[in-house]
Amino acid sequence: MSSQIARLFTTHPHSVDESYFEHLLFAGTFSGKLFIAGLAALCHAVLPFTFEKTASRMINELHHRMHNRSK
C-alpha cells in the first residue's frame, strides 16, 4: 500500500528525470513566477502604463526554461 502511494508522488518526477524534491522545487518556483506574472498583468489591466511587457516577458522566459530544462 505505501509503495503505491509513494509511486503517486514519484512516477511523474522520474519521467522528467527528477527526484520528488527536485520536481517540487522546480514546479514551486515556476508557480511563484507565474503568480508574479499574473499580478503584473492585473496591475497592467488597471493601470495600463505599468508593467507593459513584464508579464509577457516572464511567460516567454518560463516557456523557454520549461522546454529546455532537460537538454
Side-chain angles (χ1 to χ4, degrees):
M1 173 78 157
S2 65
S3 65
Q4 291 173 333
I5 293 171
R7 252 182 277 145
L8 291 173
F9 288 91
T10 59
T11 300
H12 172 65
H14 289 161
S15 76
V16 293
D17 200 27
E18 293 175 342
S19 70
Y20 171 79
F21 291 104
E22 288 171 328
H23 190 271
L24 176 68
L25 180 63
F26 181 86
T29 301
F30 198 92
S31 173
K33 290 179 180 183
L34 281 172
F35 182 76
I36 291 168
L39 288 176
L42 180 61
C43 288
H44 176 71
V46 176
L47 305 168
F49 52 88
T50 63
F51 305 109
E52 292 180 14
K53 296 182 181 182
T54 304
S56 59
R57 179 184 43 79
M58 291 179 78
I59 297 297
N60 283 331
E61 289 172 3
L62 289 170
H63 180 270
H64 179 37
R65 181 161 182 215
M66 178 68 76
H67 284 280
N68 293 305
R69 69 193 267 204
S70 63
K71 296 177 183 176

